[in-house]
Amino acid sequence: MATDKKHIAVYLDPAVEAALVAFCEQKGLKSKKGTMFSAGVNAALAEFFRIAGSEVSNIPIITGNIPGS
């Protein structure tokens, strides 16, 4: 997927990973493939830096009420 957004790579400490997974679950950032880490990191950083109305992700959130999900 082509994007003009900055790409970063991090090595998560296991405790940070567990907290991020819990954060994503709380925010509903899950897809058929599992935890949406990129969207979760964007949401967590936006919350940390108090950036209101920021776009968390351009990936739609898949919920259980969509046919085929």
Side-chain angles (χ1 to χ4, degrees), residues 4 7-8 10 12-15 21 23 25-27 29-30 33 37 41 43 45 49-52 55 66 68-69:
D4 61 348
H7 174 264
I8 63 170
V10 298
L12 295 174
D13 179 274
V21 168
F23 179 84
E25 289 174 356
Q26 176 189 21
K27 299 289 185 183
L29 300 173
K30 301 283 277 182
K33 295 181 180 181
F37 286 105
V41 168
L45 289 173
F49 290 114
R50 294 179 179 93
I51 302 171
E55 180 183 348
I66 298 175
S69 65

Side-chain angles (χ1 to χ4, degrees), residues 14-58:
V16 174
E17 180 182 357
L20 180 59
V21 168
F23 179 84
C24 288
E25 289 174 356
Q26 176 189 21
K27 299 289 185 183
L29 300 173
K30 301 283 277 182
S31 74
K32 288 181 184 179
K33 295 181 180 181
T35 303
M36 297 172 67
F37 286 105
S38 182
V41 168
N42 273 295
L45 289 173
E47 198 171 294
F48 178 82
F49 290 114
R50 294 179 179 93
I51 302 171
S54 65
E55 180 183 348
V56 174
S57 174
N58 58 0

